[in-house]
Every structure is written in structure tokens, then in C-alpha cells.
Amino acid sequence: MAEVNEEILEQYLKVVKGWFYIGDIPFTVPHNYSNIDVLGYDPIAKQYYDFEVKFRSAFSLTNDGEAIGYLVDQFEKYRAQREEKLREFIGRRKTIKVVVTTKKMVGKSEAKRSEMEASFHRKMKTLKYRSELWYFDDMIPELVRRVEVKGRYNTQLLQTIRMLKLYESKA
């Protein structure tokens, strides 16, 4: 079973976006292993997405270059191993690299967040990555709106949302 933040992303991809996904794809790195949190596929655009989920509720990046480097390193640190593992699934097709996190982590204010986002995208572009930042702050409300009280759901997360909405509707 996926870690809860990855599960939120997976269910968002399935329920809201209508995409396919594979979660927790392990690959070997020197003296250890790492993983691709989620590999998503948009069947309309025929585009693959390589997701890294980073959630720290009380953590916020600073304005220095090293902080954004933390997000970039999620893809760059073991680039060769990561890309080799991706090739096993999608051949030589390119992916869009996506960090999924909270707005607070990237910047408490809109101005700081815009600055940090721009810095992230510049660094990723320099490394020849196409990149996006997605926020739980946007995804969770959209996912909750899509879950119906009378729906049939086969994951703990969706069933929990359904039950909470049912309880809320009776209050």
C-alpha cells in the first residue's frame, strides 16, 4: 500500500484526472535503493509524468539556492539509475518531472512561492528536464469534491472521504 501522501496523488490521478499510474517503483542506487513515487500517464495528451511526493507539514524552503536544490535533487541525484528504471516501463519516452508538495513548503507567501517556483523551473530546465509543481492544497479539495456520498470506492482513502462527507451531510 502506498504512503498516504502518495495515495492522495494516485487517487487524484485516477478520480480527477482519469489517468493511469504505477506507484512505488524501486531502483538500485549505490549502497541502497530509491524509488519513483508515482509514474503517471495522461492518455489524452499521451504524456508520462514522473512524480516525487514531498510533504512536510511544518517545513518551508528558504530562498537560497540550496533549498530549491533539494527539490531538484529528487530527480538529479540518481538520474542515470532513475532513467534506466523508467526505460523499463516507457522506453525512451520523455517524462515531465513533477514535485507534489504543499504551498507552504515552497513559500508561505504568494510572492515567495512564485520566486521559488521560477527558481525550481530554471534549475530543472538547465538540467534538460520539463517540470511542474503540484500542490496538495489544490488537489485535495478537488478530490473531495469528486467523491460522491453514494459512490462505491475500493480504497481506504476514498472510502474515508465518502464516509466523512456522509457524516458531514447529516450534521
Side-chain angles (χ1 to χ4, degrees):
M1 175 186 265
E3 182 263 337
V4 71
N5 298 312
E6 293 168 14
E7 176 73 10
I8 292 168
L9 171 61
E10 290 172 357
Q11 296 311 312
Y12 176 81
L13 294 176
K14 181 173 89 176
V15 172
V16 175
K17 296 283 207 180
W19 293 7
F20 302 100
Y21 65 87
I22 301 170
D24 192 25
I25 303 170
F27 60 92
T28 306
V29 298
H31 312 294
N32 208 343
Y33 91 99
S34 189
N35 74 316
I36 296 163
D37 290 340
V38 177
L39 173 63
Y41 179 69
D42 175 354
I44 304 296
K46 296 180 176 22
Q47 178 65 57
Y48 289 94
Y49 291 77
D50 176 0
F51 291 95
E52 273 298 311
V53 177
K54 294 293 165 215
F55 177 79
R56 305 287 183 270
S57 61
F59 180 72
S60 182
L61 297 172
T62 59
N63 277 332
D64 64 35
E66 285 184 37
I68 285 298
Y70 166 75
L71 297 178
V72 173
D73 276 353
Q74 304 309 304
F75 301 104
E76 186 61 16
K77 188 172 182 182
Y78 299 114
R79 183 178 193 151
Q81 296 91 335
R82 185 183 198 96
E83 295 302 318
E84 181 180 330
K85 181 51 82 172
L86 284 168
R87 277 194 294 280
E88 290 178 23
F89 288 86
I90 63 172
R92 296 229 176 250
R93 292 176 188 89
K94 297 289 184 191
T95 60
I96 295 175
K97 308 299 185 184
V98 183
V99 172
V100 181
T101 189
T102 62
K103 289 181 178 179
K104 180 180 178 181
M105 184 172 160
V106 178
K108 291 180 183 176
S109 72
E110 186 68 38
K112 180 181 176 189
R113 192 166 39 257
S114 291
E115 178 185 322
M116 299 290 275
E117 288 172 351
S119 178
F120 170 74
H121 291 303
R122 273 193 308 274
K123 288 179 184 289
M124 292 292 280
K125 188 174 183 178
T126 299
L127 295 166
K128 305 214 182 317
Y129 291 123
R130 290 175 55 201
S131 63
E132 295 180 6
L133 285 164
W134 290 16
Y135 297 109
F136 286 112
D137 314 63
D138 301 323
M139 294 166 50
I140 292 171
E142 197 170 348
L143 179 59
V144 169
R145 273 193 300 277
R146 291 288 186 96
V147 173
E148 299 292 331
V149 171
K150 294 189 180 206
R152 181 178 179 279
Y153 301 102
N154 60 359
T155 71
Q156 289 180 359
L157 174 66
L158 296 180
Q159 184 69 354
T160 301
I161 292 170
R162 185 189 73 77
M163 291 173 70
L164 289 171
K165 286 179 81 168
L166 178 64
Y167 173 78
E168 183 181 67
S169 71
K170 291 182 178 186

